[in-house]
Amino acid sequence: MPLGQRRSGHDRIPARLRAVGVTVREHEVLVLLAKGHDNQDLATLLHLSPRTVEKHVASLLLKTGHANRKALRDSVDELLRTDSRAGTRR
């Protein structure tokens, strides 16, 4: 049974990422990862520990089926692309 999201912004996550269980925070990490930030930068920007960021990245790798961070980053444009029929936006 899926748990409800406590953070706002769930509606900004593309449907294909919501379908695999990506959380709002993981989506925030993915967007910043796409901009080339390393874990320390992400931790600072999101007010998290670097270890927490590592866990979010690991979770994204698992949920999206990517083998490593580079593969995830290489496909981030496709992952963040929204389905225009669903009326969602980036």
Side-chain angles (χ1 to χ4, degrees):
M1 179 174 178
L3 297 175
Q5 293 285 319
R6 287 184 279 167
R7 297 176 79 69
S8 63
H10 190 255
D11 58 325
R12 290 189 303 251
I13 302 172
R16 71 185 69 157
L17 292 176
R18 280 196 311 266
V20 296
V22 171
T23 67
V24 174
R25 185 58 103 179
E26 289 167 348
H27 181 253
E28 292 169 346
V29 168
L30 184 61
V31 169
L32 292 172
L33 185 70
K35 295 178 181 179
H37 294 287
D38 64 16
N39 285 0
Q40 186 60 53
D41 292 341
L42 292 170
T44 300
L45 290 167
L46 296 173
H47 306 285
L48 300 170
S49 77
R51 180 66 181 135
T52 300
V53 171
E54 287 176 24
K55 288 182 179 236
H56 286 312
V57 172
S59 180
L60 283 164
L61 291 171
L62 182 65
K63 290 176 180 180
T64 61
H66 289 88
N68 56 51
R69 184 185 185 105
K70 182 183 179 330
L72 178 62
R73 208 165 137 208
D74 288 348
S75 69
V76 78
D77 287 336
E78 181 183 333
L79 290 170
L80 294 176
R81 188 175 307 128
T82 59
D83 182 353
S84 59
R85 292 169 290 157
T88 56
R89 58 193 162 114
R90 242 195 234 177

